Amino acid sequence: MKKLLHVYTIMICYGNLGSMALAHGLSCDFRSKYSLTSLPVTACATAPQYSCPIFRERFLPLQISQNPFLSPLTVPERHVLSPKSIPRVHFLSLDSLRRRYHKQTEVVSGVEEELPPEMVSTSEPPNLFDGTTRLYISYVCPFAQRVWIARNYKGLQDEMKLVPINLANRPSWYKEKVYPPNQVPALEHNKKVIGESLDLLYYLDTHFEGPKLLPDDPAKRTFAEELIGCCGDFIKVRSAFSKEDIEEEVGPPCDYLESALSKFDFGPFFLGECSMVDMLYAPFIERFHLFLLDVKKYDITYGRPRLATWIEEINKLDAYTQTKRDPEDLLHRLKQRYLFFFDPLNLLDTTSLDHPCTS
């Protein structure tokens, strides 16, 4: 038992096919040496509040307690804990987790588009409303990345010009002449401008040629709307980034994605083939995976093999990989954004902290 005193952090993540624990510098099978079958299980007093009814119905938390080596955590209602059903707990080193992340996110390179420079406060505006279709984005905004992926997927690189906006130093003409809400993404098309990432995905699907973003199959379309409706709750995972034990809020949404990926199993994506649903979730899964692994030592794919495969497969799509930032640069920005609010001594460099882009 003395060896257990060296365990700094233990997190158990109940996915569909397994669980995990992370510890510093250890690599052993916990269950083979120490019994977990007698752990008392009690109901939580409160459950996370999700606006999506699917999350509320499927994820009634339980709490493993009265164990000095385990922090409180939640597991989905569907898991029945018994001596035979408690999964094995593994200890993985940080190096192992980093290797797994880089393997999953390895990009299969294709022909890359030459990206234009960002528009800043001193930049001259383009010839607005001259008949050119323009997609106003930010290279760092996940909401803009959604529409950028869709534009690439439909093969509209020549038809739809990118206009990247520097969110920390926006040109005044963007708000005054293009899009008064002063957010990205926004699309200039047919002498009008529309915004909001979800609205733009539907707009691209109905007004432009190329592969469809939503299938015609009624069952798939119904499931797509369900997933689209729950995406807002998944994004709320960001609110848990400051907590010591994030499993309670991160685990259920990730378990839901793992389960959703089993609905149509003839392909690796949410509807089998790539669709609007994947484009909605991809920018946030990319950021959460990277940030949580580095800062919290929490791997959202461990015990969730379908989610791990989804990450590997989407990184083979040029439409997506051409929108990705360098992981180190992205991680730096994520730390600035999410750790800044919990830095009362101002120890972090926030000079390049991006302004909100939500749309």
Side-chain angles (χ1 to χ4, degrees):
M1 296 298 288
K2 291 183 178 179
K3 184 179 295 186
L4 294 180
L5 297 179
H6 298 289
V7 177
Y8 299 149
T9 306
I10 298 181
M11 293 176 290
I12 302 181
C13 172
Y14 286 86
N16 284 348
L17 298 178
S19 64
M20 78 167 190
L22 301 181
H24 182 77
L26 295 178
S27 179
C28 63
D29 186 333
F30 183 91
R31 188 184 181 188
S32 65
K33 295 183 179 180
Y34 307 104
S35 174
L36 292 181
T37 59
S38 60
L39 287 180
V41 178
T42 59
C44 273
T46 60
Q49 298 302 308
Y50 295 108
S51 61
C52 176
I54 298 163
F55 280 19
R56 290 202 303 268
E57 293 171 2
R58 296 188 180 179
F59 299 104
L60 175 65
L62 298 176
Q63 189 176 66
I64 294 179
S65 60
Q66 301 178 17
N67 187 300
F69 304 108
L70 296 179
S71 300
L73 56 95
T74 59
V75 297
E77 183 183 27
R78 64 176 179 272
H79 292 285
V80 179
L81 298 182
S82 66
K84 292 184 178 181
S85 67
I86 293 180
R88 290 191 304 174
V89 179
H90 296 276
F91 293 111
L92 298 177
S93 68
L94 180 57
D95 288 340
S96 297
L97 291 176
R98 287 185 181 276
R99 287 195 296 270
R100 177 179 295 147
Y101 172 80
H102 288 299
K103 179 180 179 181
Q104 290 169 339
T105 59
E106 183 179 2
V107 173
V108 179
S109 60
V111 179
E112 293 189 6
E113 177 184 10
E114 184 175 349
L115 301 178
E118 290 182 316
M119 294 285 187
V120 296
S121 60
T122 57
S123 301
E124 292 294 324
N127 295 322
L128 301 173
F129 306 109
D130 61 353
T132 302
T133 300
R134 297 183 178 91
L135 178 60
Y136 296 88
I137 65 166
S138 163
Y139 290 140
V140 300
C141 175
F143 295 93
Q145 188 180 0
R146 290 169 159 180
V147 189
W148 186 6
I149 296 169
R151 171 246 195 197
N152 293 350
Y153 185 76
K154 292 180 76 70
L156 302 174
Q157 288 89 335
D158 294 331
E159 184 177 348
M160 187 179 296
K161 303 300 181 183
L162 289 181
V163 183
I165 303 294
N166 186 310
L167 298 178
N169 188 23
R170 310 178 201 213
S172 59
W173 52 259
Y174 181 66
K175 180 178 180 180
E176 295 168 357
K177 300 180 179 180
V178 179
Y179 193 52
N182 204 25
Q183 298 175 334
V184 291
L187 180 68
E188 177 188 339
H189 182 238
N190 288 340
K191 298 188 177 182
K192 65 179 180 180
V193 177
I194 37 182
E196 300 294 335
S197 60
L198 181 56
D199 293 343
L200 286 174
L201 290 176
Y202 283 113
Y203 187 87
L204 262 61
D205 205 23
T206 56
H207 288 77
F208 293 90
E209 299 293 330
K212 298 291 290 182
L213 303 183
L214 282 175
D216 296 326
D217 181 80
K220 290 185 179 181
R221 203 170 185 100
T222 299
F223 190 57
E225 297 298 334
E226 175 184 308
L227 288 166
I228 291 169
C230 288
C231 191
D233 276 320
F234 180 76
I235 295 174
K236 290 179 183 177
V237 167
R238 295 180 294 183
S239 65
F241 285 179
S242 63
K243 299 182 179 180
E244 289 297 323
D245 184 2
I246 60 173
E247 170 63 24
E248 181 174 342
E249 296 191 35
V250 174
C254 291
D255 280 342
Y256 173 66
L257 296 186
E258 175 71 12
S259 177
L261 285 165
S262 67
K263 178 77 171 181
F264 300 101
D265 57 3
F266 56 84
F269 301 108
F270 285 106
L271 303 182
E273 68 274 13
C274 185
S275 71
M276 180 191 300
V277 177
D278 303 283
M279 299 169 195
L280 281 172
Y281 281 91
F284 295 96
I285 293 176
E286 174 190 351
R287 285 158 174 78
F288 296 171
H289 189 198
L290 179 62
F291 180 86
L292 292 174
L293 187 59
D294 187 272
V295 177
K296 296 293 185 177
K297 313 303 180 283
Y298 180 89
D299 184 1
I300 64 172
T301 68
Y302 199 95
R304 302 181 180 101
R306 292 187 179 90
L307 183 57
T309 300
W310 181 90
I311 291 174
E312 292 176 6
E313 292 301 317
I314 203 164
N315 275 282
K316 298 176 183 179
L317 294 180
D318 288 341
Y320 167 66
T321 59
Q322 291 172 5
T323 69
K324 291 184 64 175
R325 296 188 60 82
D326 174 74
E328 293 300 324
D329 179 62
L330 178 59
L331 180 60
H332 176 68
R333 291 177 179 273
L334 291 172
K335 287 180 177 179
Q336 286 181 319
R337 176 170 296 282
Y338 297 122
L339 298 183
F340 168 71
F341 300 105
F342 314 102
D343 182 33
L345 299 180
N346 295 318
L347 300 178
L348 294 173
D349 175 17
T350 59
T351 55
S352 62
L353 181 63
D354 292 321
H355 291 223
C357 65
T358 52
S359 178

